[in-house]
Amino acid sequence: MRLAHMTDYAVRLLIYVAQHPERRCHIAEVANAYRISETHLMKITHQLALAGWLETARGKGGGIRLARPPEQIRLGDVVRTMEPDFFIVECFSTGNTCSLTGSCELTGIMDGALHRFMDHLDSHTLADVLPPAPGAPRRVHVHRPAKAEVR
C-alpha cells in the first residue's frame, strides 16, 4: 500500500507549520523548503483548511498556521482527509468485478490489515513526528489506542 503524494505533502506541510508556531507561514517558503510545487501546496492547504487542520488568511500579514495544537491532530485523521479512497484490493471498491468475491477470505484479511494500519496512525499525533527542538531531549511516544474509521 502506498499513500498518495498529496498525503505525504500534507503531512510535511503540517510539520513545517507546526515548527513555526510563532508566525504565519507562506506556501512559497514551504514549497522552497521541501522542493514541492506551490500549486500542489495551494490545493493541499485548501483541503487541510476545509478539514479544520489549518487556518489561512489572505493579504498583508496573511499566511497559514495550525488551527489546533499538534497534540490534537491525529495522523490517521489527516490521512483520511487526504486519501481519495482505501481500496487496497479490488473487492473494496464499488465497481468490483473480481470473480472471487464471496468465495475468498482475502477481503477480511486486507480489511483487518487496513484497520490495524489506521489504528496505528490514530495512535500518533502531529506532535509525535515533529523533530525535537535543538538541545531538547527526544520525545518518547505513548501509545494512544483509538478506534479507526475507514471510508
Side-chain angles (χ1 to χ4, degrees), residues 14 45 91 95-96 124:
L14 291 171
T45 299
C91 52
N96 176 22
H124 295 277

Side-chain angles (χ1 to χ4, degrees), residues 3 13-14 30 67-68 74 76 92 120 126 136 142:
L3 297 177
L13 174 62
L14 291 171
V30 179
R68 55 185 75 175
R74 291 188 317 172
F92 282 16
H120 187 70
L126 180 59
V142 176

